[in-house]
Every structure is written in C-alpha cells, then in structure tokens.
Amino acid sequence: MHTLKLIATLAACTLQVLAQNGNQDWDLAYAKAEQALAQLSQSEKIGIVTGVGWNQQPNGPCISNTSPASSINYPALCLHDGPQGVRWAEDVTAFTPAVQAASTWDRHLMWERGLFLGEEFRGKGIHVILGPAPGALGKNPNGGRNWEGFSPDPYLQGIGTKLTVEGIQGAGVQAAAKHFIANEQEVNREEISSNVDDRTMHELYLWPFADAIHANVASVMCSYNRVNGTHACENSEVLNHLLKDEMGFPGYVMSDWFVAQQTTSGSANAGMDMATPGSDWGGGNQLWGPRLQQAIDQGQVPQSRLEDMVRRILAAWYLLGQDQGFPSINFGRDVQADHAANVRAIARDGTVLLKNDDNILPLQSPRRVAVIGSSSVPNPNGVNSCTDHGCDRGALGMGWGSGSVTYPYFVAPFEAITTQAQADGFQVVSSTTDNLNAGATAARDADVAIVFITANSGEAYITVEGNPGDRINLDPWHNGNGLVEAVAAVNRNVIVVVHSTGPVVLERILAQPNVKAIVWGGLPSQENGNAVVDVIWGKVNPNGKLPYTIARSMNDYGSTSIFQGLQDNFDEGLYVDYRHFDAQGISPRYEFGYGLSFTTFEYSDLHIDSDAFPGPAMGDTVPGGREDLFFDVMTVSATVKNTGNVEGAEVAQLYISLPDSAPETPPKQLRGFDKLRLAPGESGVVTFEVRQKDLSYWDVELQNWVVPMGTFRIHVGASSRDIRLQEDVDIKC
Ligand code: BGC
C-alpha cells in the first residue's frame, strides 16, 4: 500500500493502546552490569571482549575462552559448540538435529530438547552454547548446514528457535543464535555476498532471529558471508541498525570463528562485541586485544563503544544468573541423565511416513525380513571414527561439522531389528553393504525387504565424497537408487528408509511398483534404529510431517547453492520452498507439512476470533522489535476427529493469505501449528494464536511492519497442500 493511503487508513483506525513494559529481566541485568563496569580496569575490559584462543591449554578447553576479571569475580568465559550437544566430549547426549525436532512439530519436545541441552552444557561448566542455528534458513535444499536449523519456513524456524532458547536459558546457559545473517551456503562461505532485498531480509531471514531475541537470547553470532557486499561482522547496517536498533537486541554479538572478523576498528564500529576465538588458527594475529586498545588510543574506536561491548556481555552473564554458583569447567562430568528419552521421542515422532501402499505398514508378522544397505549397520570403523562425523559410512544420525557430537552409543537399524526379531521370532537376513547383487540375493526370498539409504551434508571445512559441505545434487548417496531398483526387481514388498540431512529426489525409487512404503527417518542421532523399528513395527503411529518440500527434481526448487561465483542475488526473494512451488504452480512430490498416519483425521468447525487492526506496528521497541508485533491478535481454532481405528497424533497447520492490498506476497504462509493426540473416534480442538507480526508484511517505504487492510484468507489443513477448512476474515478499522 502506498504511504499516503496507509496514513489515511491509520487516521481512520482506532489506535491500539500499548502496554509499555520494556523488559525487566534485561533492565535488572543492565543495572548490575553498570555497577560492575565501574569497577573494571581498562585491560580487564579489553580481556572480556577478546577471546584468547580455542581449545588449547593454557587458554582454556573451550572452543573460545576469554580472560577473567578478578575485580568483579568474572570468570574466563567458556563458549563451546554446538546446537546438537557438547562437541568433543564424552558422556554427553548426541541430541537429534534441529531439523528432526522440527519434523515432530511438537512444541514440548522442542523446548525439552533445549532444556536438556542447557543442562548438559551447564553440567560441564560451559557458559555459552554456540546455538541454536536459525541461519541458514535453508533456502537452498542442498545447503550443507540446513540440518542444524529447523526449517526453511521462517515461522517454523522461529518457533523452534524460540523454544530452544527458552529451554537452554531456562537451564541457566547463554544461547547464541547463529549465523547472522543470510548465511545460506557453505561453498565459498567466507567470501560470498548474500545480496538480499529489504523485504526478503525481514520476512524470511531476520524473522526467526527476532523470535530468538524476543525470547531474550543472550548472544548472536555474526556470520562469515558478506551481506550486500560487506562482511556480516563488519556490517553496521546489519549489526547496528537491523539487529540492535530495529530488533532491540540487548545482548552481545560474537564473531564466527577466525575470518568472520576482518578488521580491528571496522568490526568494533559495526557493532561486533566479542572476538571469538580471538586468534587465527595458529593462536596469533589478534585483531582485538592490544590492537583494539591501540585503535581506541588513536581515536578510531570510541572508548564508549568498548564500554557498550562490556556492558552487553556482562548483562547477558547476569541475565542468566551465571554470577551465582555456576559450575566450574569440567568436561569429565557425565551429564546425560535421562536425556536419551528426548532423543528417542524426537527420532520417533520426527519420522515421516511418506508412502504406505496396501497398508504394508505396520508390518504384520513377517517370517523373513531382509535388511539391506551399508547404512543399516554402524560405521564399521567405529561410530565416532570420522573427525566431526565427516564421512558417510554406516547408519546416519547427523550431518558433519562443528555441529556434530560424539555419540555416547548408537543403535543402528540392524541391531534394533534383530532385537525385534528375537522378541517376535522372525528371521533376519542381511546385506550390509551397498552392493547391488548382494542386496538382491538377500532380498530374494524374504517376505519383506527393508532398504536403507542416505544423503549427507555438513560444514565447509570437510569435503565428503565430493560434497564440499553443500550437496552437489539431491540424489541418494552410494547409488541408493540403484540399490533400491536391484532389490525391487526381486522382492514385491520393499520398504525404503531414508536418513538424510535434507530433501532427496525420490523419483527413481517411486518408479518401482514394488516399493510399497517409504519411511523418512531424517536425522535420528543415537536412536536411529529404535525409531525405525518403532514406526515399521507400529509401536508408534507415525506422526511426523515434513519441515521442507521434497521435489520431483532439484531444478524445481528455484534456488540452490552457488558453486561458481561470489554473488548470490537471492533472486527467489520471498519464494523459498513451498512459497515458490505454490506461486509457480509446480507440483511437489511430497509437500511441506506432509506426512501419513495409520489412521485418518477429519477437520471441522473453523472459528476465527480477530482483534486485529490494519496499519503499521506502533509499539516501543523491546527485544525482538516493536512490542505489538508479538501480541496475539487473532485466535483460530478447529475440531479434529480421529476417524480411524487406532490412536494417532495429527499436526494441524494454519496458513494465511494476505489481502490484495498487500504488495505481492506468496499465496499462503505458515502462521501456526498444533499437534493433538487422539484415540479412535475422539475429537479435540486445535488452537492457533496469531500474533500481529503473523499478519504483517514488511513495508520498505515505511520501514515498518504493516497489517494490510482487507480480506485475509485463513486455511487450516493437514499439510500445505491438503487444506481442509478455509474462511475469509476482513481486517478493517
Ligand atoms: C562455525 C560455527 C562454530 C564455530 C566454532 C565455525 O566454523 O561456523 O558454527 O560455532 O566454527 O566451532
């Protein structure tokens, strides 16, 4: 809408009265930080903002460590990877990657995963966890690190991130949302420029960070890439303006490791607050430390900027209560408690049933089961034998890189199926390589053949089987297509289980009529095999849904990592994942939000209760942005009934289409989800609280979020393409 029209609209509208609360937690933390700051010497201030190296004694065992300040009893801060658990440590839980948690669409499990992560970091005496990782958003389906985040949908990414931050910080550990921002690929990640237009930046990439900040995230890590030409950690527009001014971020910005920080004064003046790990690979070349002092002495960086950095870092420390009774660093403690239960639940409930012809699943008393594929067994060299899981040998539980975790144990499918066989008394035959003939031989006389295939990705510093972090294509690895074809040629009951960091093109597999079922195992970490058995043997009614689109071809996505060149113009704009498929009328193979169940659900009774007004956001800025953006302004509810014969859980999804008065916007966007467990015949009500921001677009002229005036279409359904209920609602003055 044009500005004048908008002002006219506004004049006609009753202004909402806004509560002006600010944020009392941060206010208190800032008051303490101010007092502490007054007691610090100049060198202590420099020490607080400068890392002293990584994972090297005598500097400290963490991936970054800063200097202590004895005058205020401030410790050498320990910052450590990563979003899936404590890296490079024994006696820890290897939590499921975030993408698997997103596949559950279960808010409690996401929050609990965060809480348990926080408990494990705290138990080891780590002050700051380097996660969660809402950027990469995952606009490129082959993006190497997408699995460390939740979903290419900003709403799902935002809710997952917020719940994780609440969980982690609820355990008294500082979370660091990373990587800020538009860090969408691994290839050339340290040089590529993400050239993003203002609206797309807000509606897709800043969106989940705003949720993290609103949840009081202590820290944000700026990314390696350039944003519109300037490195993110040297980019005042990104850090000072978007993050700190517009989104009101009260915490501190740390650099991504080593080269994300390029200069002494540039990074300081752009709004970076902590140099991590503060050195180069060899431990030398500190850009801050004495060089920051020199820059201050020469008037290149104001002293007030240093004090702002320190204030922010101390405030975060006080916010989390880390000044009182925080455990000393001890990587030797066993911190696992009963956290494996959360891994099992997410591995299981994040498994998505894609296809189930003839209701082959759950299996009904097979006598002979063939288990096929190298990923049905653990890595023969040891489940932790590859540095940072940088290989694709054996069953897959997570991708590779700094976000990987040492498995405390690993249950592969063969072991779990063998255990089931002992209980049920069926025979297991196997072929534990990817050899086609051996696979076919094992499958030939079996009642059912289960074929395990993978696709893997990770962080740029390791290349695996020709994949430099980002995947070079979306095919199954190790000729998984060929293996399935060979097995399907000799067996009529083939079940394919896919473990993957992201979407895989399944067309050759689906062309085999003997492939009766496809189970999308995702990334189940240490509970891999148990989750497979839970679903295939029907101990659970599958209830995960896809947190991304599975296309018929990689070209269908409209955006992939750029392997040649250093400019990514983000030409797809807002049209990422299902937004692109919907707008272009491309039919996906399995759409965003899709997943089968052993039962069926019926939707009815859509209710919409709206207090929303058109117009721009007008609240004071609180952590996350203008306060009113986070107010609930609409409640949508619907009845869901389990119409089948078994208990099941349904993930109902709310999508909203903006009125015509808004500038061109994707046809519909996810703006809510709710999961209900229902007995056969039972009904329940799903409820979606819609925030003002969920109804808004970013107005580039006004530089503000605006609720457009007119008719919004509300869609409630079982997936992004299986809409069951629709109604229009007018938002006007
Ligand atoms: C990664 C970060 C990680 C850091 C420390 C960087 O290369 O991008 O995600 O936290 O290393 O390991």
Side-chain angles (χ1 to χ4, degrees), residues 240-449:
N240 283 331
H241 175 58
L242 294 176
L243 179 64
K244 291 183 172 175
D245 291 346
E246 193 182 296
M247 294 199 292
F249 174 56
Y252 61 96
V253 178
M254 71 173 81
S255 61
D256 201 344
W257 265 232
F258 308 111
V259 296
Q261 183 188 20
Q262 303 257 312
T263 66
T264 299
S265 315
S267 54
N269 292 330
M272 204 184 94
D273 302 304
M274 184 189 278
T276 43
S279 64
D280 64 17
W281 298 100
N285 188 31
Q286 278 202 352
L287 285 170
W288 281 7
R291 288 168 77 175
L292 180 58
Q293 184 57 53
Q294 208 176 25
I296 293 170
D297 293 341
Q298 292 170 355
Q300 289 156 1
V301 174
Q303 171 71 13
S304 59
R305 180 71 266 273
L306 172 65
E307 299 194 342
D308 177 43
M309 296 173 192
V310 176
R311 210 180 276 117
R312 287 169 175 273
I313 295 167
L314 293 181
W317 182 65
Y318 285 119
L319 181 80
L320 274 299
Q322 294 187 338
D323 56 321
Q324 306 284 331
F326 198 81
S328 57
I329 301 175
N330 181 347
F331 273 57
R333 286 186 205 110
D334 185 340
V335 291
Q336 295 172 87
D338 57 358
H339 301 161
N342 177 269
V343 181
R344 174 77 176 257
I346 293 181
R348 179 191 68 215
D349 291 352
T351 298
V352 185
L353 182 62
L354 296 181
K355 176 182 165 85
N356 192 20
D357 287 359
D358 309 335
N359 290 327
I360 187 173
L361 300 182
L363 288 180
Q364 307 294 338
S365 322
R367 281 162 301 134
R368 190 174 158 96
V369 174
V371 177
I372 295 160
S374 64
S375 61
S376 65
V377 291
N379 180 343
N381 301 332
V383 293
N384 294 309
S385 59
C386 299
T387 304
D388 294 337
H389 293 321
C391 61
D392 194 58
R393 248 172 266 141
L396 182 65
M398 61 176 66
W400 73 79
S402 63
S404 65
V405 186
T406 306
Y407 293 120
Y409 64 87
F410 190 96
V411 181
F414 181 76
E415 179 189 342
I417 293 171
T418 306
T419 306
Q420 186 67 25
Q422 282 156 1
D424 288 5
F426 61 82
Q427 192 192 357
V428 178
V429 286
S430 68
S431 165
T432 58
T433 68
D434 297 319
N435 181 285
L436 307 192
N437 292 333
T441 304
R444 194 161 280 118
D445 298 322
D447 298 326
V448 51

Side-chain angles (χ1 to χ4, degrees), residues 54 63-64 79-83 87-88 129-131 133 135 145 148 178-179 183 186 189-190 221-224 254-258 276-277 281 388 401-403 459-461:
W54 73 318
I63 198 100
S64 185
L79 306 100
H80 202 69
D81 289 311
R87 185 184 183 192
W88 293 338
I129 170 175
L130 305 178
R145 299 184 74 180
E148 295 187 54
K178 67 186 187 183
H179 311 83
N183 184 190
E186 287 301 291
R189 66 175 176 171
E190 290 161 1
M221 185 192 292
C222 51
S223 53
Y224 286 123
M254 71 173 81
S255 61
D256 201 344
W257 265 232
F258 308 111
T276 43
W281 298 100
D388 294 337
S402 63
E459 196 173 339
Y461 65 92

Side-chain angles (χ1 to χ4, degrees), residues 76-91:
L77 207 68
C78 165
L79 306 100
H80 202 69
D81 289 311
Q84 277 66 238
V86 183
R87 185 184 183 192
W88 293 338
E90 305 287 319
D91 300 325

